[in-house]
Amino acid sequence: MADGGYRTKQKAEILDLIGEKGDYHFTAADIAEMLRKKGSGTGMSTVYRMLDKLTEEGTLRRYVIDGSSAACYQIAMADQNACRHHFHLKCLNCGSLFHVDCELIDKLTDHIATDHGFTVDHSKTVLYGYCEKCRTAENSDKGDLQ
């Protein structure tokens, strides 16, 4: 991954953590929490500045899933349209965002295009519900989530 020029200790820490995320989405708060757990004194404003700079340089992609959630970031891949080819699932409890590459969803997308003349922009397509981890935790605490 490109490091965007001058490399400070804070920049190195942030780049290392971003590299650990692979192609998964993350927020500025995720990076700040990971830094805190590693004992780093890097502040939130530094995290935001670095994410903005890396986005401007093309190292990261920034997007907003909905109006009430923090911006998500992802390492920019060679295929800049990668998120336009799959749906996303967002957990209403923990806020995790998952990529879904699924043959059945591909068939649904084809059906919508063929039978309804509508092309789906998957980068804007989010299904909301509860992830397995949160459902399991909730079920053990007080019963099924609806």
Side-chain angles (χ1 to χ4, degrees):
M1 175 183 353
D3 73 4
Y6 188 68
R7 192 167 168 107
T8 64
K9 178 183 174 195
Q10 291 85 4
K11 184 175 187 176
E13 289 175 333
I14 292 170
L15 284 168
D16 288 345
L17 291 175
I18 289 170
E20 290 175 18
K21 298 301 283 179
D23 66 348
Y24 291 97
H25 300 91
F26 56 89
T27 65
D30 294 334
I31 296 298
E33 177 64 14
M34 292 170 73
L35 287 166
R36 186 191 64 73
K37 286 181 178 177
K38 290 189 174 215
S40 172
T42 302
M44 196 69 190
S45 61
T46 301
V47 172
Y48 279 117
R49 275 194 311 274
M50 182 59 57
L51 294 178
D52 286 345
K53 183 174 183 174
L54 292 170
T55 300
E56 287 173 18
E57 294 170 355
T59 302
L60 296 179
R61 290 186 322 140
R62 178 185 184 270
Y63 54 95
V64 177
I65 296 296
D66 58 44
S68 63
S69 298
C72 289
Y73 296 86
Q74 184 178 28
I75 295 174
M77 296 175 275
D79 178 2
Q80 290 295 318
N81 292 315
C83 278
R84 295 191 185 278
H85 300 293
H86 58 249
F87 278 63
H88 298 88
L89 305 178
K90 183 169 182 181
C91 181
L92 292 167
N93 187 54
C94 69
S96 293
L97 186 68
F98 305 92
H99 296 267
V100 179
D101 290 308
C102 174
E103 191 174 304
L104 185 59
I105 290 178
D106 293 342
K107 289 179 183 177
L108 172 64
T109 301
D110 292 343
H111 167 78
I112 291 170
T114 302
D115 292 7
H116 304 283
F118 191 85
T119 302
V120 175
D121 178 352
H122 295 278
S123 68
K124 306 280 188 216
T125 307
V126 181
L127 302 175
Y128 296 89
Y130 298 93
C131 69
E132 183 177 5
K133 180 179 166 187
C134 290
R135 278 193 336 270
T136 301
E138 182 68 19
N139 288 340
S140 66
D141 289 343
K142 56 184 168 181
D144 291 338
L145 289 173
Q146 298 298 319

